[in-house]
Structure formats: C-alpha cells, structure tokens
Amino acid sequence: MFELRDLYQQVIVDHNKSPRNFGKLARFNHEADGYNPLCGDKLHVYLNVNDAGIIEAVSFEGEGCAISVASASLMTEALKGTPVSEFKQKFEGFQHMVTSDLDELPDEAVMGKLAVLSGVREFPSRIKCASLCWHTVKSAVEDSHKVAKTE
Amino acid sequence: MMFDIEKIRGDFPILDQKIYGKPLAYLDNAATTQKPQSVIDAISHYYQADNANVHRGVHALSERATAAYEGARKQIARFFNTRSEREVIFTRGTTESINLIASSWGHANIKAGDEILITHMEHHSNIVPWQLLCERVGATLKVVPMNEHGELIMESFDALLCERTRLVGAVHMSNALGTINPIASIIAKAHAAGAKVLIDGAQAAAHLAVDVQALDVDFYVTSAHKMYGPTGIGILIGKESILDGMPPYQGGGDMIRMVTFEKSEYNDLPYKFEAGTPHIAGAIGFGKAIEYIQGVGFEAIEAREKELLAYANAKAEAFDGLRRIGTAAHKACVLSFVLQGVHPHDLGTIVDREGVAIRAGHHCAMPVMQFFRVPATARASFSMYNTEDEVDALFAALKKAQEIFA
C-alpha cells in the first residue's frame, strides 16, 4: 500500500520547513498571483527574465499546505537558469507527472528533484496543491493579469 | 433512557467498514451525516413500489406517492411544531431556502436605505444572498461581531439593531465553531425593533429540539442531509401570515391554480413555492430520518453528544501544539482546531490514512477564518453514533502527523 511517507518524503517536509527562494525579488519583471479557493492557498511569484530570455531569478511568497509550499520551493530551484522558451515544456512535464497513471514512474532524469511530488497522484484532492505554483508562473510568464487557478 | 451505542451504530451500515485497513471513524458530521438503514429502505421502497408523480395522477401509485410525500410534510410539521403543514415548504436545502426568502420576501420588503443584520459566524449561504439583494435594492448589510471564543457580542447586536433593520439572519449553531447562539433572545429583540428573523438551522436541527411557535421565529431553514436524511432536500418553515403575502419564487407546474396567457393564479401554501416535480423520494427519506431522531430522542442525543464533546475537549486541551478555534461556553459537537507546524490540509490527508474522516478548510465561513487569522482549520464534528474510540483514533492520527512534520 502507498504509505504516507511516500507523499510526505523528507525532501517535502524539509522544503516546507525552509522554503528556498522565499520572499520578494529585489528586481523582477514578471509576477502573478495564484489562489486555490478550495484550500485557501495563496501564492505570489516573481520572475526576473534577462535579455537573453533566461529566468535569472524566481521567488515566491504565500501560505499553504506542505505540498503547495514544497512544490513552489522545488519549482523555483528547477526554473532558475531555464530559458523562458522551455517553460512550457517543463510545465507540461510537471502536469503530466502529477496526473499520469500510478504505474507510470516519473522520469527522474528529466524531472530531477521534482519527482518527489509524483506521490500526489495517489491523493486526487491534493494534486491542485502541487500544481498551483506552476499555473501561477505560467500566468507570470504570459503576463496574464488574471489570478492563476488550477482549473 | 439508556443509550445503546452498539444498536445505534448497527443502524448505520456505512460505519462498519475499513479505510486503508483501519476502522472508519467518521467525524465529518457537520458536512453531512450518515443515513440509517430505515432511511435507505424508505427511499428504495418508494422507487421499488410507489414511484409516481405527486398531486397529479388519479391512479393508485400516484395516490400512494402523494400520501407518502404529504405524510413526510406532516411529520416535519409536527417535529418543528409549526401551526400547520402549510408552513412547511420543501426546497433543495438550506441554501435554496435562504435564496427563496431573499428573492421573494426580500425583493418585496427590503428597500434602499433598509438594513439587514447578520452575524460574523454565518455560513456563506447566509451572507451571499443578502449581499446580492443589498446590491440590487441599495440596502445595507450589517454584521454582529463575535469575541475570541466565537460567541456573538450581544451588546453590539443591541446597538446595531435599529428602526432601519428589516431582517435579522442568524445561524442557530455555527458549522465552523460549534457555537450555539441565543436565538430566543435574538428573535425577541429583533421583533421588538420591528424586524423579521431568519434562523439558519442547517447545523442545529439534528442536535437540538426546535419549536418554531415557542421561538416565534419568522423563518427557520434546514437541510435533511445533516439530519440523517438524504441530500437534495430541505425545508423552509415560515409563518403562514408572511408566506401568504410573498410572491412566488419560481414559476412552473404545481405552483399554479389556473394559467391563461393573460394571467396565472397561484396555488395555495405550501405549493405556491414548490414549482415543478419535487424530490419525492427525498421528502420520504427526510420523514424517516425525523422518525429516527424521534426514536432516539433529543434528551438522549444531547446528553450523549455533550459527553463525547467533553471527552474530545479534554484530549484537545492536553494535546501539545493544538489550538482550539471556537471555545464558546454554549457549544455542540464540533471541535475546530489548528495544529502548530501542520497545515490543516496535510492533517486531513494524514488522518484519512488512519481511517479518520475530518474536514479541513474554511468550512464555507471565510469571515470566521479571517477573524481568527487562520487560512483554514481542521474540524472534527461528532454525532450520536460516534464513540470515544473514534476520538482516540483522531488524536493518535494527530500524533502521527506531528511525527511526520517533526
């Protein structure tokens, strides 16, 4: 049986306790709000994309459950240094990982540390917690002024 | 009366199951209660033997369906001690009942400059319909504040009540906090100020005896599914004198006496407010659920639920890092709390794996969360069929959550 520890792995507990890239960036040129009305999770992301189109810095602020905070923290690490042009592919890769069939193992070579979040598939009501931050960065990258939702 | 917990649990077939290999501890009764076999049987029997439309056919099945549907109404009328069955209107539930009042009575009686007074602990369903009405007619929504225990500040209520107040809307028992409000005093004071009163009984009606005549309440609304009955059915109880003067809410079949293209004549109470084919099976199940409550009796129910809450409260107070949200002196069967270092949603997931069903979230009462400055709470809500063992299972699961996040 799927154990709770598979969802709340040490990496997630750790990123929840000490989230990386937490707070407002001193310099940023993209930002967006994310909100999950069901849970009340609130998120704000900041991105600094340089002239070469590389995400030079990314950070987040907000409050939420351990899954949503850890996911946002891990996401900022994964996106730092990524070309904006590759964001869509990463976004889709993450979405696929958290919604795919349980017997499909995450591609750790591609997903890296983000693979620890594949456990949310076992908890359908918690998938949104993991994906809210990704939707929020998508809004920021697209300069959409709508508050990001997971629907 | 002896309270036979084993017999009661035996009446609810759903309780006897394992979740992830652990015995189910269903502690989400404020969201919806489970259904006794008698209710389930009454609903299947209706579909197996009596199904037909009501108030229409002259054939035997329609007569039986109508008799069962109207029989349920009579039972509900007696249970709440209404003056007559005409004061009992079937709706889809509490939310629809409140919307009916806001739309029909509200539009006819609330004008620009008038005030509607609600409380800080209302469910969204007793906030939003009034906001919509106020926006449309130019009235003002006022809110009675509460204290840090989650009790209404009655001095503020007195001060806010004035000649502009047309309606007072108050929840009988708060779903997020468990607070039982002093509705008799609220009703008497509101009437003295010339205001009508709507009491939201969604949470209360399965736990407390309600006598609408003794309370002299103008509108009392509730839902069957929080009273061991089916979802999709509830009631609006209103004083006949007020309901009579209200325009229809929805138009359609059953609510009319005569229709021509020039003009329609509306049916008598309660049918004037029951357009379309109703939830017949739901009403029949609701009647059976009330029969079940009466069989156990409120005296026994209240005593048992008090015992259980006291047991849970003692455990909560002794639990390191737990903060109770809602500590009113007069409260019932709801333990709302936050646990240091563990977000309520993580808690919900973790205790679920131990077989314990609780609610985590804002409980459709966001202003309550804002008041206590928490994004959400975890809520265990008890019913007569819960046991001390189940409370123990909850606290053991909370310990486990703390260990995971240690």
Side-chain angles (χ1 to χ4, degrees):
Chain A
M1 195 182 73
F2 195 90
E3 289 298 328
L4 273 171
R5 267 293 174 200
D6 298 336
L7 176 65
Y8 293 104
Q9 293 183 42
Q10 209 47 51
V11 179
I12 290 177
V13 172
D14 170 54
H15 274 260
N16 175 50
K17 232 182 230 170
S18 348
R20 323 295 195 265
N21 304 305
F22 191 82
K24 189 173 174 176
L25 287 181
R27 270 185 47 214
F28 60 90
N29 47 22
H30 297 271
E31 63 178 321
D33 273 314
Y35 179 53
N36 181 343
L38 199 73
C39 305
D41 289 355
K42 274 186 204 145
L43 209 62
H44 195 94
V45 300
Y46 302 93
L47 272 85
N48 198 32
V49 180
N50 67 16
D51 293 341
I54 308 286
I55 300 174
E56 219 172 60
V58 46
S59 76
F60 77 104
E61 290 176 321
E63 55 182 358
C65 64
I67 304 299
S68 79
V69 171
S71 179
S73 173
L74 287 159
M75 176 194 71
T76 59
E77 287 192 326
L79 290 181
K80 218 174 200 170
T82 304
V84 159
S85 58
E86 286 174 22
F87 173 74
K88 191 166 179 263
Q89 197 189 339
K90 289 215 168 193
F91 174 88
E92 281 165 7
F94 186 83
Q95 279 298 108
H96 177 78
M97 181 185 76
V98 295
T99 52
S100 58
D101 286 340
L102 286 168
D103 48 14
E104 187 180 321
L105 290 174
D107 187 346
E108 293 197 28
V110 177
M111 299 312 295
K113 265 203 217 169
L114 295 173
V116 299
L117 287 157
S118 64
V120 295
R121 287 176 299 176
E122 182 76 18
F123 303 82
S125 63
R126 306 301 302 278
I127 293 170
K128 290 174 178 184
C129 308
S131 62
L132 179 65
C133 56
W134 286 88
H135 285 275
T136 312
V137 168
K138 187 167 178 280
S139 283
V141 165
E142 292 167 355
D143 285 324
S144 151
H145 295 288
K146 282 191 206 136
V147 174
K149 287 179 283 190
T150 48
E151 264 71 35
Chain B
M1 185 198 141
M2 258 292 286
F3 194 87
D4 186 349
I5 185 76
E6 283 314 313
K7 182 184 174 307
I8 285 178
R9 287 184 69 81
D11 292 336
F12 292 81
I14 204 170
L15 297 177
D16 182 25
Q17 65 173 298
K18 292 217 155 67
I19 302 287
Y20 307 113
K22 315 270 168 60
L24 165 68
Y26 185 77
L27 303 179
D28 195 16
N29 294 286
T32 196
T33 52
Q34 299 303 345
K35 323 304 173 198
Q37 190 63 52
S38 61
V39 168
I40 299 166
D41 287 346
I43 293 168
S44 345
H45 175 82
Y46 164 73
Y47 283 123
Q48 280 166 0
D50 300 334
N51 176 57
N53 213 329
V54 291
H55 308 140
R56 286 161 177 80
V58 290
H59 55 79
L61 292 188
S62 180
E63 301 281 12
R64 290 210 300 254
T66 304
Y69 179 70
E70 291 304 328
R73 194 193 309 274
K74 280 198 188 83
Q75 218 160 0
I76 293 162
R78 276 197 301 275
F79 183 75
F80 289 99
N81 193 29
T82 65
R83 284 157 209 85
S84 77
E85 293 101 67
R86 291 185 301 280
E87 298 192 329
V88 179
I89 292 153
F90 283 120
T91 63
R92 280 193 298 136
T94 305
T95 298
E96 191 180 50
S97 298
I98 297 172
N99 278 280
L100 191 165
I101 298 163
S103 176
S104 167
W105 181 86
H107 271 110
N109 292 281
I110 310 266
K111 308 269 177 290
D114 287 348
E115 291 178 7
I116 296 167
L117 184 56
I118 59 171
T119 85
H120 199 122
M121 65 181 88
E122 297 310 306
H123 187 282
H124 295 162
S125 62
N126 203 22
I127 301 174
V128 184
W130 306 115
Q131 283 175 331
L132 290 169
L133 178 67
C134 284
E135 262 170 42
R136 212 171 293 176
V137 304
T140 307
L141 190 64
K142 298 257 167 152
V143 180
V144 182
M146 61 182 175
N147 64 24
E148 69 279 11
H149 294 292
E151 293 163 325
L152 292 180
I153 302 173
M154 290 303 282
E155 297 76 39
S156 305
F157 172 69
D158 297 343
L160 284 163
L161 199 58
C162 67
E163 72 285 351
R164 290 183 300 278
T165 314
R166 289 284 160 275
L167 180 84
V168 173
V171 68
H172 194 170
M173 183 195 297
S174 156
N175 71 315
L177 302 166
T179 310
I180 299 170
N181 284 317
I183 59 163
S185 144
I186 288 172
I187 293 164
K189 286 174 172 177
H191 283 169
K196 299 282 185 259
V197 183
L198 156 68
I199 299 295
D200 167 4
Q203 212 50 247
H207 307 283
L208 307 166
V210 174
D211 179 332
V212 295
Q213 288 190 67
L215 286 167
D216 194 30
V217 65
D218 301 294
F219 300 110
Y220 195 93
V221 295
T222 194
S223 300
H225 76 95
K226 293 191 202 278
M227 305 173 67
Y228 314 106
T231 55
I233 185 112
I235 42 162
L236 155 59
I237 292 174
K239 282 183 182 164
E240 189 168 347
S241 56
I242 300 174
L243 293 174
D244 255 340
M246 282 163 53
Y249 173 53
Q250 293 180 330
D254 230 20
M255 55 77 68
I256 43 78
R257 185 178 294 131
M258 228 270 290
V259 175
T260 67
F261 284 116
E262 287 68 43
K263 192 179 163 45
S264 298
E265 248 177 66
Y266 308 127
N267 205 339
D268 295 327
L269 287 174
Y271 311 112
K272 182 170 84 172
F273 294 107
E274 292 182 5
T277 296
H279 185 8
I280 304 165
I284 293 167
F286 194 0
K288 270 287 167 202
I290 278 180
E291 211 174 283
Y292 189 84
I293 292 174
Q294 286 169 324
V296 182
F298 272 121
E299 209 180 313
I301 292 173
E302 281 183 56
R304 172 62 190 153
E305 289 178 351
K306 231 173 229 162
E307 209 171 77
L308 210 53
L309 182 67
Y311 183 79
N313 267 337
K315 289 228 149 197
E317 268 165 33
F319 199 91
D320 213 23
L322 187 149
R323 173 187 166 209
R324 286 193 293 147
I325 304 290
T327 48
H330 198 35
K331 68 173 278 185
C333 39
V334 171
L335 176 66
S336 215
F337 62 95
V338 289
L339 201 57
Q340 204 181 355
V342 190
H343 191 281
H345 289 114
D346 298 312
L347 212 54
T349 295
I350 293 167
V351 305
D352 174 55
R353 291 281 149 158
E354 299 300 309
V356 180
I358 61 167
R359 169 87 190 265
H362 51 62
H363 318 296
C364 294
M366 285 185 186
V368 172
M369 303 297 115
Q370 290 148 15
F371 177 86
F372 287 101
R373 288 180 295 278
V374 292
T377 74
R379 179 190 68 189
S381 50
F382 310 105
S383 164
M384 58 167 130
Y385 45 60
N386 290 124
T387 65
E388 279 78 358
D389 284 351
E390 290 176 317
V391 176
D392 291 346
L394 166 68
F395 282 94
L398 296 185
K399 256 269 146 344
K400 188 150 195 178
Q402 279 184 326
E403 281 161 23
I404 286 176
F405 283 93

